[in-house]
């Protein structure tokens, strides 16, 4: 029951996201839907698709016989309802039979009996129900409560209702018989083989790299903890074992392939289908997905029909038999020259070193940093230092606080002691374009990359007599677009686009490349837009002509002619390509098939000249034992660094589907066998460089000139925390901190991708009248009223802000705007289906006060506070937000009884104009499409679009049970009743001293003021 319950919750999540236009049936069995992670959604989609593919093949098979689909261990899976609803014609002569434990079938049928939609599909007028509710029989459906281990009772119950000998039969066992005792499961498989014209579809776990492989270890532990251990997996761990299992049980044929292998097979899933998944939700967990899919197999067995022997009819092919070029390659390696390396593993303790998809920061031959990446809870902006035991202390800093924590970026060393950091990402659909130059332990901002990029590849090239440059290729950009551009960065020339001659290659991300430090190099693997790893090798040569940089590409025709095995092991995604004293090593990553452990590291060539001459061998594995105290290294999300005769491997790990996370717990030092033993490497726990603006004071001042906000102690604004929230309870816990935070990776609906200005104009209506702020200055000032309220057609407003007009729309209620708060859903009914408040923000929805639409041109919103809490959902454009805690209110020029200030904190001279700003504590963030900023009550805030256009939805919600001012509050910013009452009392107190000498009145009023101040300090304390 435990596995069934978790499975249907995940499948319900897939149904809601990936099958929106089809009838939903999991909803009847899942009362509280949860949105699971993109990885789990993608994994369960593949499982569901695999079963769907087999059923489709079965129903399309040519036969005049009645068909029966036996769902063995069905759980609450609504397979019968789905097919009877979607394909009634194909199922006209088909009976679906659900089989599981009696108590589970009873509960399932109870749901069916209470659901009219399901009853209608099953034609319940003709249904027969067994006493006890564990067996139903209808025209197209039968439910049978029976232990699958009791083959005799199962056979008897089925034969009493259906003449199986005269039918075409499909048995489906989706992760069900693996929980049975092996002998019982094998008996069930043997029983099914006794029927003529029967097929068996088995989907269950395998152990392609052994049970001590990290993913397998996590998977086995997970099911053991649930007290549902995987029984068959040790007896039949590999694909060939599963095929042999069925053949030995009497089946005529059996073909098994891993789901990861099938994922890349266009005869199973078309490229169009794979690509379409990207539009459902942003996804970048490819390595984790590959691990999951490599540990699940789909097997289709057939019992030979008599007609296959007596006629020209051929046996149907449900899945194409696998070819295994990697296995053939391994069997032919007895004479291959190998590079042997000895290893030293330095253990890490606790959460030390737990980060993946960061970048190696070379500092010296004895020190390397691990910058950024994904930690256990969030993306990181810090640097961890790894040192050899002979290292000399060297100062190293992280990039300044203004840089966002990131992952999947590159850091490339050049010209001896310099490094260039390029791009990276926050979430999968938000790439970064900022670039930072590291030199002399300090960081300096340089020109942004021509386009935001992550999972790109980078290497050094020689740029004539002017030194080295950084060559960048491919990657993903904002919105998940896969790139095919080459760029060159040079310290004195900045960025230039590189022209391409010779062969044309398809766009890719996650590839790796290396150069010979001059003008020749190699590009390996990567992933295409449709999620297939590219088994490709490309040579390139670079030169900087008078008309600009040019790169020429050629393929490795010789290697291509030697077969797909060679290409499939070198064409990888997410690997590291590193020059060492022994030559060029390819380390880790994933390929079209799960790599055998002995191929984790390949020795491609011995010298840099090999790249120029196109001479290297991809079938030279590096011999190294990666076990240490029972732990294996998982070469995913890792970093490598070459030092003298050693290769250092650090970081890395994976999310093992829903089974837990695995982190590499060692720093590995690999040394060439026969070389003189050198030092070992370890994490220096005293030298983690947390991401603070401490590189140098000059840099802080330079940033301050950009923003106008440098506090008295020289510190820049504090970055607002970015996070993910998995549930409404998680969000509510964060509210208790009373601090702002930005929530990433929420699903706000299709508005984030579809709300272009043309789309908004169509859905709102070009002629609809709207009230907008027309400003005379970039900074709108509520007190000076340097704007006017203007009513105009919405289409005119859009045209004007596109032309640079200083205008701002804060929508009002469509009905009685002076009385009622704005509510996005009712004010703009044609937009409402595009925007959804995620389930994590349930408390916002339950306590909502108002929800205005905001569309801003190039204007700065005045600094103000709101009494109600609110979330700002950024839909289009970038918006810069600066917030101040309530304790700063006396320094921000807010007049008594007012809620706004005339201070423009974005003014470059703000600190000089308003000295009180030096006593404030600003918090800052840049909102990108899909971000949700929580603004706590009374936090002063101001906003400036950074792209001259911004679209957002703002939801105000009540966070107090009582205390709000009575009466009308259209905008949600009316001060609390106690404050309004208090101001009246203050006025009465002041009037009581009228007529007394000035000094006496001031004496007592100041004493009362101090008394009130003391009460403000002790307020809330007991």
């Amino acid at each position: 029951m435990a596995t069934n319950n978790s499975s249907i919750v995940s499948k319900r999540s897939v149904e809601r996201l990936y099958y929106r236009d089809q009838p939903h049936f999991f909803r009847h069995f899942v009362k509280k839907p949860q949105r699971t992670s993109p990885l789990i959604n993608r994994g369960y989609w593949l499982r569901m698709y695999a079963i769907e593919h087999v059923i489709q093949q079965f129903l399309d098979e040519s036969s005049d016989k009645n068909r029966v689909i036996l769902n063995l261990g069905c759980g609450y899976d609504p397979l019968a309802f789905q097919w009877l609803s979607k394909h009634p014609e194909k199922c006209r002569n088909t009976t679906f039979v659900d089989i599981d434990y009696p108590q589970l079938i009873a509960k399932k049928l109870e749901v069916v009996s209470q659901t009219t939609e399901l009853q209608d599909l099953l034609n319940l007028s003709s249904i027969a129900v067994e006493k006890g509710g564990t067996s139903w029989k209808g025209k197209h459906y039968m439910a049978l409560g029976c232990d699958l281990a009791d083959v005799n009772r199962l056979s008897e119950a089925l034969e009493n209702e259906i003449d199986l000998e005269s039918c075409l039969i499909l048995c489906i066992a989706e992760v069900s018989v693996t929980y049975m005792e092996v002998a019982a499961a094998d008996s069930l498989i043997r029983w099914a083989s006794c029927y003529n014209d029967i097929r068996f579809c088995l989907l269950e776990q395998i152990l392609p790299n052994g049970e001590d492989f990290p993913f397998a270890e996590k998977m086995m532990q997970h099911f053991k903890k649930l007290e549902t251990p995987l029984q068959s997996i040790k007896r039949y761990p590999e694909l060939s074992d599963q095929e042999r299992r069925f053949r030995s049980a009497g089946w005529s044929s059996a073909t098994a392939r891993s789901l990861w292998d099938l994922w890349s097979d266009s005869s199973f899933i078309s490229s169009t289908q794979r690509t379409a998944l990207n539009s459902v939700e942003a996804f970048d967990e490819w390595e984790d997905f590959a691990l999951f899919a490599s540990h699940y197999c789909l097997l289709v067995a057939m019992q030979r029909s008599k007609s296959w022997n007596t006629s020209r009819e051929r046996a149907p092919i449900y899945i194409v038999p696998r070819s295994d070029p990697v296995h053939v390659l391994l069997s032919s390696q007895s004479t291959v020259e190998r590079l042997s390396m000895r290893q030293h593993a330095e253990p890490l303790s606790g959460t030390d070193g737990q980060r993946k998809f960061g970048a190696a920061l070379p500092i010296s031959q004895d020190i390397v940093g691990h910058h950024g990446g994904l930690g256990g809870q969030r993306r990181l902006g810090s640097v961890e230092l790894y040192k050899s035991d002979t290292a000399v202390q060297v100062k190293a800093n992280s990039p300044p606080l203004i840089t966002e924590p990131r992952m999947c970026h590159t850091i490339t060393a050049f010209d001896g002691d310099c490094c260039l950091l390029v791009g990276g990402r926050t979430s999968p659909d938000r790439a970064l374009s900022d670039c930072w130059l590291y030199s002399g332990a300090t960081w300096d901002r340089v020109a942004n990359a021509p386009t935001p990029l992550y999972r790109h590849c980078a290497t050094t090239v020689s740029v004539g007599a002017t030194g080295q440059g950084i060559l960048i290729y491919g990657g993903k950009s904002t919105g998940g677009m896969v790139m095919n551009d080459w760029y060159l960065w040079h310290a004195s020339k900045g960025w230039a686009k590189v022209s391409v001659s010779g062969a044309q290659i398809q766009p890719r991300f996650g590839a790796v490349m290396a150069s010979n430090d001059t003008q020749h190099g190699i590009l390996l693997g990567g992933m295409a837009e449709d999620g297939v790893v590219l088994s490709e090798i490309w040579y390139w040569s670079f030169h900087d002509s008078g008309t600009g940089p040019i790169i020429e590409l050629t393929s490795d025709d010789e290697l291509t002619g030697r077969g797909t095995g060679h290409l499939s092991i070198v064409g990888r995604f997410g690997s590291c390509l590193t020059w060492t004293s022994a030559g060029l090593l390819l380390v880790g990553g994933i390929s079209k098939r799960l790599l055998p452990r002995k191929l984790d590291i390949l020795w491609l060539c011995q010298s840099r000249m090999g790249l120029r001459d196109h001479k290297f061998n991809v079938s030279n594995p590096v011999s190294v034992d990666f076990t240490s105290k029972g732990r294996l290294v998982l070469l995913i999300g890792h970093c490598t660094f070459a030092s003298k005769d050693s290769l250092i491997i650090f970081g890395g790990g994976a999310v093992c589907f829903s089974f837990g996370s695995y982190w590499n717990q060692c720093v590995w030092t690999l040394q060439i066998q026969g070389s003189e033993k050198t030092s070992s490497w370890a994490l220096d726990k005293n030298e983690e460089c947390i991401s603070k603006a401490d590189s140098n004071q000059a840099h802080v001042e330079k940033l301050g000139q950009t923003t106008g906000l440098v506090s008295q102690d020289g510190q820049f604004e504090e970055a607002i925390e970015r996070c993910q929230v998995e549930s409404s309870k998680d969000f509510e816990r964060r509210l208790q901190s009373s601090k702002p935070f930005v929530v990433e990776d929420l699903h706000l609906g299709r508005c984030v991708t579809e709300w272009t200005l043309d789309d908004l104009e169509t859905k709102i209506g070009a002629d609809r009248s709207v009230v907008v702020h027309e400003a005379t200055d970039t900074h709108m000032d509520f007190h000076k009223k340097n704007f006017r309220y203007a009513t105009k057609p919405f289409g005119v407003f859009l045209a004007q802000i596109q032309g640079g007009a200083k205008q701002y729309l804060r929508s009002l209620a469509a009905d009685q705007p002076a009385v009622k708060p704005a509510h996005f859903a009712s004010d703009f009914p044609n937009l409402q289906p595009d925007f959804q408040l995620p389930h994590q923000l349930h408390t916002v929805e339950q306590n909502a006060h108002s929800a205005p639409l905001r569309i801003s041109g190039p204007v700065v919103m005045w600094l103000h506070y709101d009494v109600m809490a609110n979330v700002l959902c950024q839909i289009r454009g970038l918006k810069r937000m600066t917030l101040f805690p309530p304790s700063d209110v006396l320094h921000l020029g807010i007049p008594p009884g007012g809620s706004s200030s005339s201070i423009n904190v974005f003014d470059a001279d703000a600190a000089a104009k308003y000295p009180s700003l030096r006593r404030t504590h600003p918090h800052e963030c840049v909102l990108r499409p899909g971000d949700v900023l929580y603004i706590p009550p009374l936090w002063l805030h101001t906003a400036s679009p950074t792209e001259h256009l911004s679209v957002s939805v703002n939801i105000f919600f009540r966070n107090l049970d009582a205390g709000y001012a009575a009466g009308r509050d259209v905008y949600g910013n009316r001060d609390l009743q106690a404050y309004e009452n208090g101001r009246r009392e203050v006025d009465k107190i002041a009037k009581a001293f009228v007529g007394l000498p000035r000094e006496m009145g001031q004496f007592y009023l100041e004493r009362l003021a101090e008394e009130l101040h003391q009460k403000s300090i002790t307020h809330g304390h007991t």
Side-chain angles (χ1 to χ4, degrees), residues 755-1003:
W755 276 8
T756 62
L757 295 187
D758 289 341
D759 185 61
L760 290 172
E761 184 172 0
T762 299
K763 292 177 177 177
I764 292 179
D767 297 329
R768 175 166 171 174
S769 292
V770 292
V771 179
V772 303
H773 300 71
E774 276 191 350
T776 58
D777 188 83
T778 302
H779 172 237
M780 293 195 298
D781 189 325
F782 185 78
H783 296 292
K784 295 179 180 178
K785 291 294 191 294
N786 61 348
F787 61 87
R788 71 183 185 93
Y789 296 105
T791 302
K792 60 182 64 180
F794 182 68
V796 172
F797 163 68
L798 289 183
Q800 290 175 342
I801 61 172
Q802 287 183 82
K806 302 179 183 69
Q807 297 184 23
Y808 183 90
L809 167 67
R810 192 269 192 204
S811 69
L812 304 174
D815 178 41
Q816 295 182 286
V819 178
K820 297 180 180 179
H823 281 286
F824 169 80
S826 56
D827 297 336
F828 303 102
N830 290 336
L831 291 181
Q832 189 274 331
D834 299 343
F835 174 85
Q836 67 182 50
L837 207 57
H839 68 86
Q840 293 95 324
L841 306 188
H842 177 71
T843 188
V844 176
E845 185 175 26
Q846 289 294 103
N847 299 285
H849 165 270
S850 56
L853 172 70
R854 297 183 184 270
I855 303 178
S856 175
V859 291
V860 174
M861 183 65 180
W862 57 79
L863 180 65
H864 68 286
Y865 67 81
D866 298 303
V867 177
M868 289 189 187
N870 65 96
V871 290
L872 185 63
C873 307
Q874 189 67 13
I875 307 300
R876 183 174 175 81
L878 303 180
K879 178 179 289 187
R880 186 174 178 185
M881 301 291 302
T882 299
L883 284 71
F884 299 85
S887 57
D888 287 348
V889 65
L890 297 181
H891 308 305
L892 292 171
I894 307 290
S899 61
S900 62
S901 169
S902 294
I903 295 176
N904 179 11
V905 300
F906 298 112
D907 189 332
D909 298 324
K913 290 180 180 179
Y914 309 101
S916 63
L917 283 178
R918 291 186 175 274
R919 296 191 292 275
T920 64
H921 306 81
H923 293 57
E924 187 172 79
C925 67
V926 174
L927 296 182
R928 292 173 169 78
D931 282 348
V932 176
L933 170 64
Y934 167 63
I935 304 177
L938 305 182
W939 275 69
L940 296 97
H941 52 281
T942 179
S944 174
T946 64
E947 294 185 337
H948 303 294
L949 177 68
S950 170
V951 179
S952 56
V953 176
N954 197 185
I955 300 105
F956 292 81
F957 63 100
R958 299 175 180 85
N959 63 302
L960 298 178
D961 296 329
Y964 293 112
R968 187 185 308 166
D969 186 6
V970 173
Y971 297 101
N973 64 347
R974 185 173 168 185
D975 281 310
L976 295 180
Q977 188 69 61
Y979 178 71
E980 292 187 354
N981 293 342
R983 290 197 67 233
R984 285 192 288 269
E985 294 300 323
V986 167
D987 191 51
K988 290 180 182 179
I989 292 171
K991 288 180 179 178
F993 289 93
V994 172
L996 292 176
R998 179 178 176 277
E999 294 81 3
M1000 295 184 69
Q1002 185 175 357
F1003 174 84

Side-chain angles (χ1 to χ4, degrees), residues 485-514:
D485 296 321
W486 296 77
Y487 295 102
L488 176 69
W489 180 88
H490 188 269
S492 62
K493 300 177 181 179
W495 288 99
K497 190 167 185 178
V498 180
S499 301
V500 180
S501 66
Q504 298 297 312
I505 63 177
Q506 64 177 309
R508 67 196 63 206
F509 62 104
V512 289
M513 65 177 173

Side-chain angles (χ1 to χ4, degrees), residues 139-161:
K139 183 178 181 181
H140 294 290
Y141 180 74
M142 177 179 174
L144 177 61
C146 179
D147 185 347
L148 293 175
D150 191 347
V151 173
N152 292 331
R153 183 182 182 285
L154 174 64
S155 178
E156 180 183 356
L158 289 171
E159 292 290 354
N160 286 339
E161 301 292 345

Side-chain angles (χ1 to χ4, degrees), residues 211-269:
E211 63 182 283
D212 61 344
F213 186 71
F215 184 97
E217 183 182 81
K218 284 287 183 181
M219 179 174 70
M220 302 277 279
Q221 290 173 353
H222 170 79
F223 288 105
K224 185 177 181 180
K225 185 176 180 180
L226 292 178
E227 297 184 350
T228 54
L230 303 178
Q231 304 278 8
S232 302
I233 197 168
K234 291 186 179 181
R235 179 78 62 85
Y236 308 107
E238 299 188 21
L239 298 173
S240 57
D241 299 315
Q242 289 283 13
E243 291 174 343
R244 186 167 56 253
R245 174 191 197 182
F246 274 77
R247 291 195 183 103
S248 64
W251 292 84
S252 303
S253 65
T255 300
R257 292 176 65 180
S258 76
L259 293 187
W260 181 237
D261 185 18
L262 288 169
W263 168 262
S264 302
D265 187 344
S266 293
S267 69
F268 184 76
I269 307 176

Side-chain angles (χ1 to χ4, degrees), residues 656-667:
C656 300
F657 203 57
S658 58
F659 313 136
S661 293
Y662 184 96
W663 295 96
N664 290 330
Q665 294 185 342
C666 294
V667 185

